[in-house]
Amino acid sequence: MNDGPASPAGKVAILTPGDAIARQSATPEKSKFLPLYQALARAGVHAEPAIYHDDFANAVRTQLLQMDGVLVWVNPIEGGRGRSQLDALLREVAASGVYVSTHPDVILKLGTKEVLVQTRHMGWGVEDTQQHMHIGQLAHTLAAQIAAGQARVLKQYRGNGGNGVWKVEPVLAAETFVRVRHAQRGSVDETLPLHQFIARCAQYFEGNGRLINQAYQVRLPEGMVRCYLVHDKVAGFGHQAVNALCPAASDAAGMTLGAPPATTPRLYHPPTLPQFQSLKQALETGWVPQLQREMRIDTASLPIIWDCDFLLGPKNTAGDDTYVLCEINVSCVSPFPDAAIDVIADATLARVHEARQRAG
């Protein structure tokens, strides 16, 4: 651990998952967030690593209660475990006056696929986005959509890495069969009876689970735009050709002939990238303020770093691109553009300053 002196501007922990050995040996120099540690130091903030695991949650709690703030990078599902114990700890720490980003309550508002239903009426939304609370509802609706020849994308309520995200489309030669593809890396197209696929989805309804049902966006092969935000301002872009749900080549009967197009590395850009200025303006002046109003989230409570993933929608009457929200990521946004690092550090400084003022 880094036991350096507290900075006059505040103390911040950068919380990431790991085991006991990782916790004992953690230093900023070993962290993938070293550039952020350095930026925080330039801003006058003392930052130290906080390696977390449920097995030593009490030790992490003690550490965090000595901080002015904690920045958290932990996926919704990490090493096969959910975040319930960590989220309870973070709520306790936040209630004591420590600034937490992203607060678990804000994650539940923004970082689950339910946000696609709640914002379907916004400029980034798709009106026929639906939420299925039980498997019978999914079976009834999806059967009708497949019979109508629609391709759909199903997304589990909370997950990461493509887990629980499926493209489902009719097979032309057999109305009771569907072609499906999981978005997890390495997945391939499968053709199977619709009822078998429905049964496979039962796992996503366990506990408080549910599935979100959206229309497949046919311009997916043209790539995805990731907009990185610090609070309510765009701090950079990522642009990438993705193949997670891209169609493979098929014959007239709908039988798969080949692999989908290859993915490409995500390219990172500053917020000044000309080609996405209309998207930046739409986010900053329209969509994010509307999201804040509807979700009742003030600007300081928005995540220190989060992103909105967009697919290209149909071109408008002027021939310009439109954008469709694919998902919002808030739990573990990394990596991010270099242009965002100093902006994150400045926002963190402002939040810990407020935390210190509240503490007197």
Side-chain angles (χ1 to χ4, degrees):
M1 305 295 292
N2 185 341
D3 295 322
S7 161
K11 296 176 62 177
V12 169
I14 294 180
L15 190 149
T16 56
D19 58 19
I21 295 175
R23 180 169 174 79
Q24 291 170 2
S25 62
T27 65
E29 290 73 24
K30 295 179 181 179
S31 172
K32 66 180 180 180
F33 294 108
L34 177 58
L36 179 57
Y37 279 103
Q38 294 169 333
L40 288 167
R42 291 194 297 270
V45 177
H46 165 75
E48 63 183 52
I51 306 300
Y52 176 84
H53 194 281
D54 288 350
D55 291 348
F56 43 81
N58 286 335
V60 179
R61 177 187 291 105
T62 299
Q63 178 187 4
L64 299 186
L65 288 172
Q66 300 172 24
M67 299 291 119
D68 299 300
V70 53
L71 307 182
V72 183
W73 276 272
V74 179
N75 282 310
I77 301 173
E78 195 75 59
R81 298 190 183 198
R83 283 187 40 150
S84 59
Q85 188 170 339
L86 171 61
D87 287 346
L89 183 157
L90 293 173
R91 287 186 176 96
E92 176 187 345
V93 169
S96 76
V98 177
Y99 170 70
V100 174
S101 184
T102 300
H103 193 287
D105 293 346
V106 175
I107 291 176
L108 289 177
K109 290 181 177 182
L110 299 181
T112 73
K113 303 303 188 294
E114 188 175 25
V115 73
L116 299 173
V117 178
Q118 295 169 322
T119 64
R120 60 189 174 185
H121 59 283
M122 288 175 47
W124 66 25
V126 178
E127 284 288 349
D128 76 339
T129 301
Q130 301 154 340
Q131 182 169 237
H132 304 307
M133 303 301 294
H134 55 81
I135 196 167
Q137 187 182 42
L138 169 67
H140 175 77
T141 302
L142 189 59
Q145 292 168 333
I146 293 299
Q150 298 180 27
R152 308 295 296 186
V153 175
L154 304 178
K155 303 177 181 182
Q156 71 166 323
Y157 171 65
R158 194 172 185 184
N160 54 276
N163 182 28
V165 177
W166 294 86
K167 180 188 177 185
V168 188
E169 60 184 335
V171 176
L172 300 181
E175 293 183 2
T176 60
F177 278 68
V178 289
R179 182 165 54 225
V180 304
R181 184 171 179 172
H182 199 197
Q184 278 193 312
R185 187 182 300 273
S187 299
V188 296
D189 287 357
E190 301 176 68
T191 299
L192 72 166
L194 176 59
H195 71 86
Q196 288 186 13
F197 174 71
I198 296 294
R200 185 180 295 183
C201 292
Q203 60 183 306
Y204 304 124
F205 294 95
E206 295 174 358
N208 192 37
R210 63 205 76 167
L211 276 174
I212 310 305
N213 180 338
Q214 284 187 302
Y216 174 74
Q217 298 300 314
V218 297
R219 297 183 68 189
L220 174 64
E222 297 180 49
M224 182 182 74
V225 182
R226 176 164 286 182
C227 298
Y228 295 89
L229 296 104
V230 175
H231 292 327
D232 60 343
K233 302 299 181 187
V234 174
F237 297 101
H239 192 209
Q240 180 180 24
V242 295
N243 71 351
L245 298 178
C246 283
S250 60
D251 62 17
M255 301 305 294
T256 299
L257 297 178
T263 188
T264 62
R266 183 179 298 121
L267 301 178
Y268 295 96
H269 305 277
T272 53
L273 184 68
Q275 73 189 82
F276 297 136
Q277 288 308 295
S278 64
L279 178 56
K280 177 178 182 290
Q281 182 179 13
L283 275 167
E284 293 183 344
T285 65
W287 296 341
V288 171
Q290 184 178 0
L291 181 69
Q292 288 183 250
R293 290 192 298 271
E294 299 199 7
M295 298 297 184
R296 298 183 181 180
I297 304 173
D298 62 73
T299 299
S301 297
L302 285 170
I304 281 285
I305 180 69
W306 56 303
D307 72 62
C308 297
D309 288 349
F310 290 97
L311 301 176
L312 292 170
K315 289 184 179 290
N316 62 23
T317 55
D320 299 324
D321 287 327
T322 63
Y323 296 92
V324 176
L325 182 67
C326 178
E327 66 178 351
I328 295 176
N329 298 297
V330 298
S331 300
C332 192
V333 177
S334 172
F336 39 77
D338 290 344
I341 293 173
D342 284 330
V343 185
I344 294 171
D346 290 342
T348 302
L349 174 62
R351 301 289 82 76
V352 299
H353 177 69
E354 292 167 0
R356 283 196 160 192
Q357 285 187 320
R358 287 193 296 269

